[in-house]
Amino acid sequence: MKRVIATLPGDGIGPEVMREAVKVLVTWDTHENHFPQETIDLCKSSDAVLFGSVGGPVAHASEPRWKDAEKNAILGLRKHFGFGVNIRPAKIYGNLAALCPLKPEILARGKVDMVVIRELLGDVYFGEHRTEGDEAFDVMHYTVDQIKPPLKFAFETAMQRNKKVTVVDKANVLDCSRLWRRVANEMKDEYPEVAMEFMYVDNAAMKLIVNPSDFDVVVTANLFGDILSDAASVLPGTLGLMPSASLSDGTLHMYEPAGGSAPDLEGLDVANPIAQILSGSMMLRYSFKMTEEAALIDAAVDEVLNKGFRTRDLLLPGETEADAIGTAEMGDRIADAVAALHK
């Protein structure tokens, strides 16, 4: 069956890593608009959106060309298409454990391989904001209909993994969190094989550092998810290994690496394309239900890393830049591994 994929490379290293993602499976300047109608129309006519990176040079962030580029582009996409459920896997690859900032004795407690599921269209980000003199107000707001989709996805994901869900909240203080707990308790009986636990967000932040192997599937509200998913993204040792997906309640979903556009690396052939490639794998899994093909890409990434191939950000202690391979070569090696595994 033919599928249409909208590839939005973005800026900085976005086009470079996007090329490698497409190999394994252009556009701001011409519009003077970070989220032009042409982009909206392209996405509407597609079956999935594979997004690159956007942000522009930090030193020029106040210039009209770059001002609010990330906000306008990414948040614009999320809001326009209702991408309300964000998925961020965080996995420590065994032979790259030395990149993790945690002590070896912590990592020795168990395998670190979790998925953080974040509600993306509610909470204080989308509530009322106002300032009155010396007072400011940011209103946290949730409805049952906003809470159900991420919880449903969390339970269903857990069924394919280790059958454990951790619902993170602040129910000792917040009514919104109490609503999350009510909805979770109402839904859990639909998934009797899944063990569900509640955890306050401050405790969860602590446990991500002292005992990350305790987590399997973590699901939480927008604000808490923003913070916890960023904390979890540090565990693999580089954002170059961190893909993500943003799902809607329809059929169009978006996939993007968790890192930024790193304009200082543009054109140097040193950026790590793995997060973009794994975002493509998530696209196959969630948009097209091609689970075997997605697993094949994941296995190819594992194989290439296990063979010791590294981009610059993956170098282990004692290794030098002379030991690194470039963006294009990493893409080639993963594509070759996919072909070999497919035989």
Side-chain angles (χ1 to χ4, degrees), residues 30-81:
T30 58
H31 299 286
E32 297 183 355
N33 186 338
H34 300 132
F35 188 41
Q37 185 62 44
E38 182 174 331
T39 298
I40 295 172
D41 294 340
L42 172 64
C43 293
K44 281 183 177 179
S45 65
S46 303
D47 297 302
V49 178
L50 188 60
F51 193 81
S53 300
V54 67
V58 175
H60 301 283
S62 62
E63 296 178 4
R65 179 185 177 191
W66 300 115
K67 183 175 174 57
D68 294 329
E70 186 173 7
K71 175 183 175 182
N72 294 335
I74 297 177
L75 293 186
L77 279 163
R78 288 175 183 170
K79 185 174 181 180
H80 187 89
F81 292 105

Side-chain angles (χ1 to χ4, degrees), residues 144-195:
V144 169
D145 287 343
Q146 288 175 308
I147 295 169
K148 281 184 176 180
L151 283 172
K152 182 176 186 291
F153 189 84
F155 283 118
E156 292 179 350
T157 300
M159 287 294 294
Q160 306 301 316
R161 292 172 54 89
N162 295 317
K163 298 181 180 179
K164 179 182 178 182
V165 169
T166 303
V167 182
V168 174
D169 59 34
K170 195 63 176 171
N172 57 335
V173 176
L174 301 174
D175 274 18
C176 282
S177 288
R178 296 185 189 111
L179 185 60
W180 271 78
R181 288 203 176 195
R182 192 193 90 189
V183 176
N185 279 319
E186 291 170 351
M187 294 178 66
K188 69 177 181 179
D189 291 341
E190 300 174 35
Y191 305 90
E193 297 179 57
V194 176

Side-chain angles (χ1 to χ4, degrees), residues 87-107:
I87 306 125
R88 290 269 291 270
K91 169 184 174 180
I92 295 180
Y93 290 83
N95 63 333
L96 296 177
L99 295 178
C100 178
L102 302 183
K103 294 179 179 179
E105 53 264 36
I106 293 177
L107 298 182

